[in-house]
């Protein structure tokens, strides 16, 4: 399993969100550098952001989830064209970033 994983659930429909592209970026001074990218699978998960044995340096990262296309395909208006979740890596342990979405809101937390 990758050191960074993510999961998206649609709280309106009560289902995982498949096919959403996401980018993992690292903050370097005043810029964000693309580190990896992935797409959610049929279970709404990205388990392979990084190769299995890769360990990221400590620092500030974000995952940018491109959610607009998902809601457009459902013919649902969405207030957020993308969602950025910023977090800090401070060890070599696993970091799981779940995202709960609806057309007009979202929430996230540190998963396991």
């Amino acid at each position: 399993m990758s050191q960074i994983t993510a999961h998206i659930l649609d709280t309106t429909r009560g289902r995982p969100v498949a096919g959403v592209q996401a980018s993992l970026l690292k903050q370097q001074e005043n810029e964000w550098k693309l580190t990896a990218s992935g797409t959610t699978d049929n279970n709404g998960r990205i388990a392979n952001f990084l190769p299995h044995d890769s360990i990221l340096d400590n620092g500030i990262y974000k995952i940018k989830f491109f959610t607009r296309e998902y809601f457009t395909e459902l013919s649902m208006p969405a207030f957020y064209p993308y969602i950025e979740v910023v977090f800090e890596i401070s060890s070599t342990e696993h970091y799981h970033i779940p995202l709960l979405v609806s057309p007009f809101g979202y929430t996230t937390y540190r998963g396991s």
Side-chain angles (χ1 to χ4, degrees):
M1 173 175 21
S2 174
Q3 182 188 14
I4 303 289
T5 57
H7 191 193
I8 308 176
L9 297 173
D10 181 335
T11 58
T12 301
R13 300 177 69 223
R15 296 180 179 213
V17 176
V20 169
Q21 294 183 11
S23 297
L24 174 65
L25 302 106
K26 182 178 184 192
Q27 186 178 40
Q28 294 183 334
E29 298 183 19
N30 292 330
E31 296 182 359
W32 291 97
K33 180 183 175 190
L34 181 65
T35 302
S37 59
T39 303
T40 56
D41 64 16
N42 287 337
N43 290 318
R45 296 182 180 275
I46 301 174
N48 57 353
F49 261 126
L50 305 167
H52 178 67
D53 293 331
S54 287
I55 299 296
L56 295 170
D57 294 331
N58 290 352
I60 306 292
Y61 290 81
K62 71 178 173 181
I63 299 177
K64 185 174 184 176
F65 297 96
F66 296 92
T67 53
R68 177 185 297 211
E69 292 80 7
Y70 169 74
F71 289 111
T72 298
E73 286 180 17
L74 295 174
S75 298
M76 298 175 80
F79 186 67
Y80 301 102
Y82 59 85
I83 297 166
E84 295 180 325
V85 179
V86 180
F87 56 96
E88 185 169 8
I89 291 181
S90 58
S91 74
T92 60
E93 65 189 324
H94 174 245
Y95 291 81
H96 183 62
I97 313 298
L99 178 65
L100 307 176
V101 298
S102 72
F104 298 101
Y106 67 91
T107 190
T108 187
Y109 56 95
R110 172 137 189 218
S112 58

